[in-house]
Amino acid sequence: IATDSWGHPKNGNLLASCSYDRKVCIWQEVSKNQWRCVYEDNQHKASVNAVSWAPHELNACMLASASADGTVSIHTLKNNRWEREAAFMAHPGGVNGVSWAPAVQSGSLIAQGNTPNTSPPLQKIVTGGCDNKIKIWYFNGTKGSWDQAHIIKEEKMMHRGWVRDVAWAPSLGLPGNTIASCSEDRTAIIWTEGKDKNFEPVKKIHCKDKVWRVSWSVMGNILAVASGSNNVTLWKQSVDETWQNLADMDEGLSNKPETKAATG
């Protein structure tokens, strides 16, 4: 198993998994502590490296899967039946990470005020791959296809190795969007959306080893970065908009001095 992901409880107890055997599986709790595979897709041509559930606000049960064959697939539950609805080429050489954008449009809470937000939920994802790039994709309702949004600015900094994971920060409709990516080049990069709706890198985090995972807190204000040196660092944006290292955690206690208990 490469990774797994829990679905939102709104859709029942669902768990998605993917594996190097090229399969995507969705498991459902049919009775207490009894799970059954209710969907299996084996149409990817290489290992499936990541799965990500769409926000429940989309009012649709959707799952994205990212594969080493370079494609991303969208799996949707329609009329109580799972279907592979779309597949598109994302990164030559393979896709390692995928993450959905929040369904609520950035700035909507402030722009709307007390007026109900009637704009349709957004369908966007960010992907990272073996071409050392991250890309943003959106669903084009007119064409019925997933198209690339060319809004990533890499002039200031970019990854120099395979991008291993991406994570779009949760949002409540506050101004701007934030994305995190990490790479085998021993760095993680934080990207923020500017006034021109383009994403620019604002912070590069240097680690001692390859960086495998990035993950946001539920509120989207703290980023966890996990590297191959058994180390996790936590980062948070301060009031002056700079990113500060909150904590540095090492697995186990072998590298810490022992404290002898006092004897009477």
Side-chain angles (χ1 to χ4, degrees):
I1 303 296
T3 187
D4 53 26
S5 179
W6 285 99
H8 192 275
K10 173 184 176 180
N11 300 313
N13 290 337
L14 294 175
L15 178 68
S17 63
C18 61
S19 175
Y20 301 113
D21 62 5
R22 302 179 288 129
K23 291 182 180 180
V24 176
C25 294
I26 296 177
W27 307 82
Q28 183 175 21
E29 188 177 30
V30 293
S31 60
K32 187 176 181 180
N33 298 326
Q34 297 294 318
W35 293 79
R36 183 177 67 194
C37 181
V38 294
Y39 173 72
E40 180 180 295
D41 176 84
N42 60 0
Q43 295 186 54
H44 280 295
K45 305 302 181 184
S47 67
V48 185
N49 299 323
V51 286
S52 177
W53 290 97
H56 70 91
E57 293 91 347
L58 292 179
N59 295 320
C61 197
M62 303 170 65
L63 179 77
S65 60
S67 172
D69 63 12
T71 67
V72 171
S73 296
I74 308 297
H75 313 266
T76 306
L77 180 64
K78 288 186 175 181
N79 299 320
N80 294 320
R81 182 175 180 177
W82 284 97
E83 301 176 1
R84 175 193 259 233
E85 195 169 58
F88 58 92
M89 178 58 64
H91 296 264
V95 192
N96 298 316
V98 59
S99 178
W100 287 82
V104 180
Q105 187 172 0
S106 65
S108 59
L109 291 185
I110 293 177
Q112 297 290 340
N114 295 325
T115 304
N117 183 12
T118 58
S119 59
L122 301 176
Q123 291 189 39
K124 284 185 179 180
I125 60 175
V126 59
T127 58
C130 300
D131 54 2
N132 306 346
K133 295 180 179 294
I134 72 168
K135 298 178 182 180
I136 292 177
W137 308 84
Y138 68 97
F139 181 71
N140 187 325
T142 303
K143 298 192 303 181
S145 62
W146 285 84
D147 298 337
Q148 184 178 356
H150 297 276
I151 53 177
I152 298 292
K153 290 187 175 180
E154 297 180 318
E155 292 84 358
K156 293 182 180 179
M157 64 181 78
M158 60 184 294
H159 286 298
R160 304 292 180 182
W162 288 7
V163 177
R164 280 296 179 181
D165 196 20
V166 288
W168 205 309
S171 169
L172 296 177
L174 298 176
N177 279 295
T178 305
I179 292 172
S181 60
C182 65
S183 169
E184 292 191 10
D185 65 3
R186 302 187 179 190
T187 69
I189 297 179
I190 299 173
W191 312 74
T192 59
E193 184 183 39
K195 294 181 180 180
D196 59 358
K197 298 301 180 181
N198 289 316
F199 282 82
E200 296 189 20
V202 295
K203 176 67 177 180
K204 177 175 278 192
I205 300 168
H206 295 272
C207 300
K208 298 177 181 178
D209 208 330
K210 297 176 182 179
V211 190
W212 296 100
R213 292 289 180 266
V214 282
S215 177
W216 292 99
S217 63
V218 174
M219 295 300 294
N221 60 337
I222 298 177
L223 175 68
V225 179
S227 70
S229 57
N230 295 333
N231 176 265
V232 176
T233 56
L234 302 181
W235 298 81
K236 184 177 182 180
Q237 191 175 31
S238 61
V239 292
D240 62 356
E241 297 188 351
T242 60
W243 288 86
Q244 305 294 330
N245 185 197
L246 290 181
D248 194 335
M249 297 170 286
D250 291 310
E251 184 180 25
L253 300 174
S254 59
N255 59 341
K256 298 181 180 179
E258 295 183 3
T259 301
K260 294 183 178 181
T263 56

